[in-house]
Amino acid sequence: MRKTFTGLCVLFVVLSFFHGAGETASGDRRDSAVERKVLDLVNRVRTKGVKCGDRYHSATHPVRWSSSLAEAALSHSSDMAKRESMDHAGGDGSDPGRRIARAGYRWMTCGENVGEGFTTPEEAVSAWLRSEGHCENIMNPVFREAGAAYARSGKRVYWTLVFATPQISSFIGP
């Protein structure tokens, strides 16, 4: 599934299953080591290059961790877990661009991969790389920053990986 939103926010969905420990009181999974592992794995692929479907994507620059994008990812993962439904649309009708903006991130371009139930960050990234659209999001050289998070509802876990390029003014100051 590929959708485009205002400002070129590209979305993809895939399914799988996760076992984790350590939830917050709200049931949200907060483990920055796991979340950052997703980004480390993404950057390993970005800096080597990979074939997405039938098209080879050359190596590109790594993306930087963004706490704001991680906040947007957690918000969406938590919402999906609460609703027990994986979708790019939020329970309030929001799209990724709106959620990213609510987290205080001024974006020019964004993309989102969502999934359910991966057992490890390695499985999540591996599954996304086997999906042409997810893989293209991972390898998109336009993206400069990313954040990842997951939340659990019972035994079901919902993952969100958000990519974005900040507005030019974000690079050069106020």
Side-chain angles (χ1 to χ4, degrees), residues 38-117:
V38 171
L39 191 66
D40 291 342
L41 294 165
V42 163
N43 281 332
R44 284 185 203 166
V45 173
R46 285 176 67 91
T47 58
K48 289 183 358 185
V50 71
K51 190 173 183 181
C52 299
D54 293 332
R55 182 171 169 231
Y56 181 77
H57 291 264
S58 297
T60 190
H61 60 86
V63 288
R64 294 181 306 264
W65 180 263
S66 165
S67 295
S68 295
L69 294 178
E71 179 183 329
L74 178 61
S75 171
H76 190 55
S77 290
S78 297
D79 179 61
M80 290 189 296
K82 179 181 175 183
R83 294 181 296 119
E84 296 186 344
S85 175
M86 189 180 63
D87 195 343
H88 289 289
D92 62 357
S94 63
D95 62 48
R98 185 179 301 165
R99 291 189 295 274
I100 293 167
R102 274 196 301 232
Y105 190 95
R106 295 177 59 207
W107 60 276
M108 184 169 53
T109 304
C110 69
E112 178 180 82
N113 288 1
V114 296
E116 178 196 355

Side-chain angles (χ1 to χ4, degrees), residues 7-170:
L8 300 174
C9 195
V10 184
L11 317 169
F12 293 97
V13 183
V14 74
L15 302 173
S16 207
F17 186 47
F18 177 69
H19 302 284
E23 300 173 8
T24 64
S26 66
D28 299 342
R29 178 74 168 123
R30 295 305 306 161
D31 185 338
S32 62
V34 170
E35 294 165 348
R36 286 181 183 257
K37 180 71 174 181
V38 171
L39 191 66
D40 291 342
L41 294 165
V42 163
N43 281 332
R44 284 185 203 166
V45 173
R46 285 176 67 91
T47 58
K48 289 183 358 185
V50 71
K51 190 173 183 181
C52 299
D54 293 332
R55 182 171 169 231
Y56 181 77
H57 291 264
S58 297
T60 190
H61 60 86
V63 288
R64 294 181 306 264
W65 180 263
S66 165
S67 295
S68 295
L69 294 178
E71 179 183 329
L74 178 61
S75 171
H76 190 55
S77 290
S78 297
D79 179 61
M80 290 189 296
K82 179 181 175 183
R83 294 181 296 119
E84 296 186 344
S85 175
M86 189 180 63
D87 195 343
H88 289 289
D92 62 357
S94 63
D95 62 48
R98 185 179 301 165
R99 291 189 295 274
I100 293 167
R102 274 196 301 232
Y105 190 95
R106 295 177 59 207
W107 60 276
M108 184 169 53
T109 304
C110 69
E112 178 180 82
N113 288 1
V114 296
E116 178 196 355
F118 308 116
T119 55
T120 64
E122 291 84 1
E123 286 183 14
V125 173
S126 179
W128 285 328
L129 289 172
R130 288 189 306 270
S131 164
E132 186 174 355
H134 291 95
C135 183
E136 288 176 358
N137 256 2
I138 288 170
M139 293 304 296
N140 190 332
V142 172
F143 297 138
R144 300 289 182 206
E145 299 181 330
Y150 61 101
R152 186 174 8 180
S153 175
K155 292 186 179 185
R156 297 177 78 174
V157 177
Y158 298 85
W159 293 75
T160 306
L161 172 59
V162 179
F163 297 97
T165 302
Q167 290 181 353
I168 299 299
S169 62
S170 297

